[in-house]
Amino acid sequence: MIPVASNVRIWIATGHTDMRKGMHGLSLLVQEGLKRDPFAGEVFVFRGRGGSLIKALWRSWLEAPAGEACWRSQREV
C-alpha cells in the first residue's frame, strides 16, 4: 500500500477503460480526456470492463531523480 497525503486529489474515471493500456497510455487519457497533468501529483483511478480490475496512476515527485520522470513497476510497489 502506498501512502497518499490527505490533500491529494483523487480522480475516478467513469465508464470502463481498456486494461491493456500501460502507464503511458493512461497518462495520455488523463491529458486528453480530463485536461489534467498526470505528473501533478494527483491520483487517477481507472476501472476495467468487468469491474474486477482497477489501475491507479500517480506520480510522486519526491522519489524521482532530478529532472527525470519514471514509473514504478508492480514489483517495486
Side-chain angles (χ1 to χ4, degrees):
M1 191 158 151
I2 301 171
V4 179
S6 62
N7 63 343
V8 172
R9 285 188 171 187
I10 299 176
W11 296 83
I12 301 174
T14 59
H16 63 272
T17 304
D18 183 356
M19 289 288 109
R20 295 175 293 179
K21 290 187 183 294
M23 294 299 123
H24 297 289
L26 294 175
S27 64
L28 186 61
L29 284 176
V30 169
Q31 289 174 339
E32 292 181 350
L34 297 173
K35 306 293 188 226
R36 306 294 299 178
D37 180 7
F39 303 107
E42 298 171 321
V43 178
F44 301 93
V45 181
F46 302 91
R47 170 189 171 280
R49 181 180 298 274
S52 61
L53 296 174
I54 66 165
K55 283 189 178 182
L57 178 69
W58 176 53
R59 182 64 192 118
S60 171
W61 287 108
L62 300 176
E63 300 174 14
E68 294 183 24
C70 57
W71 299 106
R72 291 182 179 181
S73 70
Q74 289 181 340
R75 293 184 191 126
E76 296 175 28
V77 174

